[in-house]
Amino acid sequence: MRIWKMSLGAVAAALTLHAAPAHAQNYPTRAITLVIPFAPGGSTSIVGRGIADKMSELLGEKVVVDNRPGAGGTVGTRAVAKSEPDGYTLVLGYTGTLAIGPSLYKNVGYDPRKDFAPIGLIGNAPNSLVVHPSFPAKTIGELIAYAKANPGTVNFGSAGAGTVSHITGEYFAASAGIKLVHIPYKGTGPALTDLLGGHIPMAFAPIPASHPNVSAGKLRALAVTSTTRSSLLPDVPTISESALPGFDASLYYGLAAPAGTARPIIERLNKALRDALASDEVKRQLAQDGTEITPGTPEDYAAFIDKDEKKWSQLVKASGVEQE
């Protein structure tokens, strides 16, 4: 009886091994879900939807966007980590979820290095520090001076507790030696809505989300958080050149699948992603949103995730911020 059971197990294993390549070779045969772990309206949705639309054309199957916000993007990211590794559930990787979340939350529920199969980088973009037009400070130097003169009275909005915009704000305050009061929102969109309404004086927001209101004069951009100026806001200085040399808080996007996803599927998705990024349509769209395209191999993205997590984990620890 034992021999019979072992034989069945061996046959099942053999069938699985033979079925996997066939499955991967025919992939995809149905719609793919791309989880964007933030609310609609923010930069992640802008970037993710553009990529999803073009990849749908290239793959011949619809890539459906599923916004799943919560806990700084970790809710949706965790859900993908626990999904079947069949190539039909992907996640838009992001600095906040793969570099900040693991050290910010006590029980994030996933390991950015072990629980995902990186597909490839998409690109990067800095945050912008934007203020309501009525706010008296017109430069980073003036903002720092004002905050020092009025300690604990300057609020800043973010996309939520533990998000990149939140940690960037804490990083900025610590670097400048000032006290800012954090006001968390459920996404970049709601934060900017309150900023536009004058309910908060300033916010850290991705350029793709803030740029339209800056261009329309509804918000004033004091600086960008990268070490080089944004091509979308060339007249806006960096925080580094304005007052805090070396300050750098750029945001990176990429695609990932659950760990264990077959290599042929990862390669198929990587090719589709790189072809999408090479298209004039996507180049134009991302350029308009201030995103610098940085395509690469799955291995490139894996190495980047490791490097980025090390950097931001140090910033999280230095900020003293921790979430349950």
Side-chain angles (χ1 to χ4, degrees):
M1 187 66 173
R2 182 179 299 173
I3 295 176
W4 172 243
K5 288 184 177 179
M6 290 176 64
S7 297
L8 284 177
V11 170
L15 288 174
T16 299
L17 288 173
H18 284 293
H23 168 71
Q25 184 177 3
N26 296 328
Y27 174 88
T29 59
R30 55 186 172 87
I32 299 167
T33 297
L34 172 59
V35 174
I36 296 178
F38 294 93
S43 64
T44 48
S45 285
I46 293 171
V47 172
R49 287 184 181 278
I51 293 297
D53 289 344
K54 192 61 182 180
M55 287 184 68
S56 294
E57 296 177 20
L58 296 168
L59 292 169
E61 292 287 349
K62 184 69 175 177
V63 178
V64 181
V65 168
D66 180 7
N67 288 91
R68 296 191 201 178
T74 61
V75 171
T77 303
R78 181 169 57 249
V80 175
K82 298 181 182 299
S83 298
E84 287 294 321
D86 55 9
Y88 290 98
T89 304
L90 312 177
V91 67
L92 184 73
Y94 184 57
T95 297
T97 54
L98 299 184
I100 293 178
S103 56
L104 180 73
Y105 293 90
K106 290 182 179 180
N107 299 296
V108 72
Y110 59 84
D111 184 314
R113 297 174 179 84
K114 298 179 180 179
D115 294 332
F116 298 96
I119 294 168
L121 272 165
I122 293 172
N124 70 85
N127 259 317
S128 59
L129 195 172
V130 287
V131 299
H132 189 270
S134 64
F135 192 62
K138 292 181 172 59
T139 67
I140 290 296
E142 291 179 4
L143 168 60
I144 293 174
Y146 181 87
K148 286 183 176 180
N150 301 275
T153 64
V154 181
N155 300 334
F156 78 93
S158 80
T163 60
V164 172
S165 52
H166 173 204
I167 300 303
T168 297
E170 300 289 354
Y171 174 28
F172 171 72
S175 299
I178 58 177
K179 173 65 177 178
L180 299 177
V181 180
H182 175 229
I183 307 296
Y185 289 86
K186 294 182 178 179
T188 297
L192 289 180
T193 296
D194 259 18
L195 179 59
L196 287 165
H199 302 295
I200 53 174
M202 60 178 280
F204 287 88
I207 291 178
S210 66
H211 177 256
N213 290 306
V214 171
S215 296
K218 297 179 180 179
L219 295 177
R220 186 166 65 245
L222 298 190
V224 295
T225 62
S226 54
T227 56
T228 58
R229 295 193 182 197
S230 168
S231 59
L232 200 58
L233 296 172
D235 296 329
V236 177
T238 67
I239 291 176
S240 178
E241 71 180 275
S242 297
L244 305 174
F247 188 96
D248 183 19
S250 296
L251 318 176
Y252 286 83
Y253 311 97
L255 286 188
T261 302
R263 179 67 188 193
I265 291 178
I266 294 297
E267 292 176 349
R268 176 84 171 95
L269 289 168
N270 178 264
K271 184 180 186 307
L273 174 60
R274 295 175 76 165
D275 287 347
L277 294 174
S279 69
D280 291 338
E281 178 184 353
V282 172
K283 282 182 178 179
R284 182 169 55 253
Q285 181 179 8
L286 296 190
Q288 290 174 347
D289 288 330
T291 300
E292 180 184 349
I293 295 174
T294 55
T297 66
E299 289 73 24
D300 291 335
Y301 191 25
F304 180 81
I305 289 172
D306 179 63
K307 176 183 175 182
D308 208 34
E309 193 279 332
K310 288 177 181 176
K311 169 190 171 179
W312 283 93
S313 65
Q314 292 176 353
L315 295 176
V316 170
K317 291 175 184 176
S319 73
V321 178
E322 186 176 63
Q323 302 291 324
E324 293 294 333

